[in-house]
């Protein structure tokens, strides 16, 4: 190496050593200006942490209707499979013949009892008349009444007849109840749908349930894995999106079954059914059985301050970010962070809404150092310049020169 090369190398080393020394001096402020390429503002928004899942649209309700022999003889169906029904639509009906016949038999028995009761009352009236006659018959003084025994016998007979009438009263009341029950059965010979929906199935062999009706309203059903069920809970908010659609529908987890869909096995993962109630305000025109994408909100923070995650720096004493000040300098601010969802970080304390922050931290950047940004004349518009007051133009121009 020639003496010129040695001299050049020594000069380079000395230059680098001086600059590095200046960079790490703590008590000396170096008059350094940083070029800022990217920045953004602190925003206030809602943060939602969601868990994806798959589901399928199913009827909200499924009602079964049963045929009961005790109600009467089956007469016939009033609907067919696939028919649209409304609340109150007749599904099937019982024959009134048996009930009418039974009611007539009850009425005959009641009439017989009432006739028997009238005969007993008439007999009692005769006995009482005889009793009064015997009681009023003249008796000689100082002689026993020869009719006493007959009067007592009549009293006993009257008492027995009254007991018979009392028993007959009870029997008559029983048949009156049976007749009333038969009348009610005649009024309820038709079994009606309790919901608006569609007839899902009809069993003509009369095995129960003979008719099944599914509702027009829908819900979402699906299954969770063992990991997913630990994150989900009943009452959580849900966003539902039908396949091939951009429409977002609101819902709520209605029920999670805590027992698996099949017999648990040590070698296979268990799965658990869940159902989601769709908000009534949503209009959904989809078929039962259509698949949907589901996003379950497992955590949410409303109206909170957020920054991009890359703007948050970690240090031994916590986390901080650099804020661009209106005086042309940057300020290091210590922040307290909350939840982080993807690349968005919640900031609980340390910054304010609308403050500008650096996305990248330039090397050796310290607080209260000046910064510059690139001028982008293409983004300037004549309209904006015209709207800018002369006073403001002079202020900004002066600041540009003086800050150098």
């Amino acid at each position: 190496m020639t003496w010129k090369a040695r001299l050049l190398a020594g000069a380079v080393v000395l230059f680098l050593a001086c600059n590095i020394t200046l960079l790490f001096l703590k008590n000396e402020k170096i008059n350094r200006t940083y070029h800022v390429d990217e920045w953004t503002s602190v925003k206030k928004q809602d943060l939602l942490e969601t868990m994806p899942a798959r589901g399928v649209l199913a009827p909200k309700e499924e009602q079964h209707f049963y045929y009961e022999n005790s109600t009467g003889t089956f007469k016939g169906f009033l609907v067919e499979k696939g028919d649209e029904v409304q609340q109150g639509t007749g599904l099937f009906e019982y024959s009134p013949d048996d009930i009418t016949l039974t009611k007539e038999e009850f009425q005959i028995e009641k009439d017989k009892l009432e006739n028997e009761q009238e005969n007993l009352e008439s007999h009692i009236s005769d006995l009482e008349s005889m009793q009064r006659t015997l009681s009023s018959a003249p008796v000689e003084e100082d002689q026993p009444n020869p009719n006493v025994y007959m009067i007592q016998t009549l009293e006993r007979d009257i008492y027995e007849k009254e007991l018979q009438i009392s028993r007959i009263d009870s029997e008559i009341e029983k048949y009156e109840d049976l007749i009333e029950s038969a009348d009610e059965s005649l009024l309820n010979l038709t079994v009606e749908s309790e919901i608006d929906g569609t007839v899902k199935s009809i069993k003509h062999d009369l095995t129960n349930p003979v008719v099944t009706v599914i509702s027009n309203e829908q819900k979402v059903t699906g299954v969770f894995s063992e990991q997913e069920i630990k994150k989900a809970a009943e009452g959580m908010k849900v966003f539902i999106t039908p396949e091939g659609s951009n429409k977002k529908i609101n819902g709520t987890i209605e029920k999670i079954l805590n027992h698996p869909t099949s017999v648990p096995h040590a070698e296979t993962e268990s799965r658990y059914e869940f159902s989601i109630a769709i908000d009534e305000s949503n209009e959904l025109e989809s078929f039962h059985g259509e698949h949907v994408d589901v996003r379950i909100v497992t955590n949410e923070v409303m109206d909170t301050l957020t920054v991009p995650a890359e703007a948050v720096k970690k240090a031994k004493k916590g986390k901080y970010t650099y804020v661009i000040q209106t005086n042309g300098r940057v300020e290091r601010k210590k922040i307290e962070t909350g939840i982080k969802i993807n690349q968005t970080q919640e900031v609980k304390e340390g910054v304010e809404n609308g403050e500008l922050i650096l996305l990248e931290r330039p090397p050796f950047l310290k607080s209260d150092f000046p910064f510059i940004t690139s001028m982008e004349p293409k983004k300037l518009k004549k309209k904006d310049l015209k709207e800018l007051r002369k006073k403001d133009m002079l202020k900004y121009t002066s600041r540009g020169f003086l800050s150098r």
Side-chain angles (χ1 to χ4, degrees):
M1 179 179 293
T2 63
W3 65 274
K4 292 182 179 179
R6 291 175 182 165
L7 181 62
L8 179 60
V12 171
V13 171
L14 180 62
F15 176 78
L16 293 176
C18 291
N19 279 277
I20 292 173
T21 302
L22 291 172
L23 287 172
F24 288 97
L25 280 177
K26 294 184 178 179
N27 298 325
E28 296 292 338
K29 291 186 177 179
I30 304 172
N31 187 17
R32 185 185 299 114
T33 301
Y34 290 96
H35 181 269
V36 176
D37 288 324
E38 294 182 290
W39 66 89
T40 187
S41 60
V42 179
K43 298 178 181 177
K44 182 173 283 189
Q45 59 181 333
D46 300 337
L47 281 183
L48 302 178
E49 190 171 23
T50 62
M51 180 178 68
R54 293 273 293 163
V56 65
L57 292 172
K60 182 180 179 181
E61 292 182 74
E62 183 169 304
Q63 289 197 336
H64 304 292
F65 298 88
Y66 298 85
Y67 165 60
E68 298 177 3
N69 290 323
S70 58
T71 305
T73 304
F74 184 80
K75 184 178 181 181
F77 292 104
L78 303 175
V79 292
E80 296 180 354
K81 180 180 178 181
D83 281 355
E84 294 284 338
V85 296
Q86 308 295 323
Q87 184 178 8
T89 300
L91 302 175
F92 63 92
E93 60 184 347
Y94 293 93
S95 171
D97 296 342
D98 291 348
I99 300 174
T100 303
L101 181 60
T102 303
K103 180 184 174 183
E104 290 175 353
E105 293 174 351
F106 292 153
Q107 187 62 49
I108 291 172
E109 292 297 323
K110 180 188 172 189
D111 293 342
K112 286 169 60 179
L113 290 170
E114 288 176 342
N115 290 333
E116 185 177 354
Q117 187 181 46
E118 289 178 2
N119 291 334
L120 286 172
E121 289 174 347
S122 176
H123 194 185
I124 290 175
S125 180
D126 293 341
L127 292 176
E128 288 175 340
S129 177
M130 291 176 62
Q131 189 180 34
R132 286 193 297 271
T133 302
L134 292 173
S135 298
S136 60
V139 179
E140 295 181 3
E141 294 183 359
D142 300 330
Q143 294 296 321
N145 189 348
N147 299 324
V148 171
Y149 176 75
M150 288 296 296
I151 292 172
Q152 292 176 344
T153 302
L154 289 173
E155 286 179 350
R156 187 168 53 253
D157 290 344
I158 291 171
Y159 177 73
E160 291 177 354
K161 302 300 180 188
E162 288 176 342
L163 287 178
Q164 291 181 28
I165 289 175
S166 178
R167 287 194 291 269
I168 290 173
D169 277 339
S170 299
E171 286 291 307
I172 290 174
E173 289 179 1
K174 183 187 75 175
Y175 280 104
E176 286 176 345
D177 291 341
L178 290 173
I179 291 170
E180 184 178 354
S181 177
D183 288 335
E184 291 179 358
S185 297
L186 288 171
L187 295 174
N188 298 309
L189 289 175
T190 301
V191 177
E192 300 175 346
S193 175
E194 299 174 2
I195 59 174
D196 297 345
T198 305
V199 178
K200 179 184 178 182
S201 66
I202 291 179
K203 294 181 180 177
H204 292 277
D205 59 0
L206 301 185
T207 55
N208 282 319
V210 291
V211 177
T212 299
V213 176
I214 55 176
S215 66
N216 293 331
E217 293 181 287
Q218 295 177 318
K219 64 180 179 180
V220 175
T221 61
V223 291
F224 285 137
S225 66
E226 292 182 28
Q227 295 300 319
E228 290 171 337
I229 196 174
K230 295 175 183 175
K231 300 178 182 177
E234 294 179 358
M236 282 184 169
K237 187 189 301 180
V238 178
F239 300 124
I240 306 161
T241 304
E243 281 189 347
S245 168
N246 294 324
K247 188 174 183 180
K248 185 185 290 184
I249 302 165
N250 297 327
T252 306
I253 294 183
E254 185 180 44
K255 194 173 189 59
I256 300 175
L257 299 184
N258 58 9
H259 56 272
T261 56
S262 58
V263 178
H265 193 281
E267 301 298 329
T268 58
E269 184 183 39
S270 297
R271 299 175 70 80
Y272 304 85
E273 291 185 7
F274 67 87
S275 63
I276 297 171
I278 301 173
D279 289 358
E280 294 181 356
S281 58
N282 295 301
E283 294 184 1
L284 186 60
E285 297 179 355
S286 299
F287 294 105
H288 298 323
E290 281 193 59
H291 288 80
V292 295
D293 293 322
V294 174
R295 298 199 71 82
I296 300 166
V297 180
T298 55
N299 192 10
E300 63 179 331
V301 181
M302 308 304 290
D303 200 26
T304 189
L305 296 177
T306 63
V307 298
E310 59 184 316
V312 179
K313 316 300 176 186
K314 294 182 180 178
K316 291 182 179 178
K317 296 184 179 179
K319 298 178 181 178
Y320 61 93
T321 189
Y322 281 95
V323 178
I324 298 175
Q325 302 293 318
T326 56
N327 60 4
R329 296 177 181 275
V330 294
E331 180 185 0
R332 170 174 157 159
K333 284 191 172 181
K334 186 177 181 180
I335 58 175
E336 181 180 347
T337 58
I339 65 171
K340 177 186 174 185
I341 298 178
N342 297 326
Q343 292 303 312
T344 303
Q345 176 67 63
E346 178 194 12
V347 181
K348 294 183 176 179
E349 290 183 6
V351 293
E352 296 179 0
N353 186 27
E355 282 189 318
L356 299 179
I357 57 173
L358 299 183
L359 286 179
E360 294 291 341
R361 177 193 175 191
F364 312 114
L365 178 62
K366 296 182 179 179
S367 187
D368 200 35
F369 272 73
F371 70 92
I372 58 172
T373 61
S374 300
M375 185 174 179
E376 298 183 12
K378 292 182 179 179
K379 294 185 178 179
L380 293 176
K381 298 179 181 178
K382 291 183 179 179
K383 181 182 177 182
D384 297 332
L385 293 175
K386 288 180 180 179
E387 293 178 353
L388 195 64
R389 296 183 304 170
K390 291 182 178 179
K391 184 178 179 180
D392 293 332
M393 292 179 67
L394 180 61
K395 180 178 68 175
Y396 294 142
T397 304
S398 301
R399 179 181 297 176
F401 282 107
L402 294 175
S403 63
R404 302 295 301 169

